[in-house]
Every structure is written in C-alpha cells, then in structure tokens.
Amino acid sequence: MASKTAKTAQEVLMADFQALVSDTERLLEHTATLAGDQADELREQIHESLLKARETLQLTEDSLRQRGQAAVTAAQDYVQANPWQSVGIAAGVGFLIGLLATRR
C-alpha cells in the first residue's frame, strides 16, 4: 500500500515536472519573435536549463526504477526463502488490521 502511494506520488511529480518543461519550451518558442541580443541570450539560457532539467529528470526516473526493482526483488527473494515466516507475518498484520477495523 505504501509503495503504491509512493509510486503514485512519484508518477505525479514526474508528470508535473514534464509538463513544466513542456510549457517552458512553448514559452521559449513564443519568445522567438523578440528581437535583440538580450532576447537571444535569454532564449539560449532557457534552452540550456531545459536540457539540464530533462537530463536530471531522466536520471531521477532511472534511479527510482532501479531502487524500486531492487526492493521488489528483495521482497520476492525473502518470501521464497522464508514462506512460513511470510505467511505468519501476513496473518499477524491481517489480525491487527482486523482489530483496528472492529474498534471503529
């Protein structure tokens, strides 16, 4: 459950960041009609910042995927190595959730 929430939050964050980059690119295209050296310099700086942001986003996404996959693999390995302990832990957690649910 917590991993689903974290994954959803990460996906929302990534989508928002991608939307920001996309909107900034459109703004950059619209400023192309501005004249002067300062406008050209500003557009170049924005373009470089966007490239860095995209690279950072890609690296972050790759890192999160690797860490998530490692956690899933570790959990699967533990359950396969200790099936009865896993069943006991799941039963205990289910029992506690049942107790909490009946109190309300």
Side-chain angles (χ1 to χ4, degrees):
M1 180 73 168
S3 65
K4 271 189 176 179
T5 305
K7 186 175 182 179
T8 303
Q10 291 169 357
E11 289 173 354
V12 168
L13 178 63
M14 298 291 264
D16 288 347
F17 190 72
Q18 288 174 344
L20 174 65
V21 170
S22 174
D23 291 345
T24 306
E25 285 177 336
R26 278 190 277 140
L27 178 63
L28 182 62
E29 290 172 6
H30 290 301
T31 61
T33 58
L34 294 177
D37 294 336
Q38 289 180 340
D40 291 338
E41 185 178 321
L42 178 61
R43 279 194 294 275
E44 185 61 32
Q45 288 175 353
I46 292 172
H47 184 68
E48 288 175 13
S49 295
L50 283 172
L51 289 176
K52 287 179 185 177
R54 283 185 182 266
E55 288 175 12
T56 302
L57 179 63
Q58 187 62 41
L59 291 173
T60 303
E61 183 178 4
D62 292 342
S63 173
L64 289 174
R65 284 184 196 274
Q66 289 174 353
R67 289 189 345 207
Q69 186 60 38
V72 168
T73 302
Q76 288 175 344
D77 290 345
Y78 179 81
V79 169
Q80 289 177 0
N82 306 302
W84 290 110
Q85 286 179 344
S86 300
V87 170
I89 291 170
V93 169
F95 179 74
L96 290 174
I97 290 174
L99 284 177
L100 292 173
T102 57
R103 286 188 172 194
R104 291 183 180 189

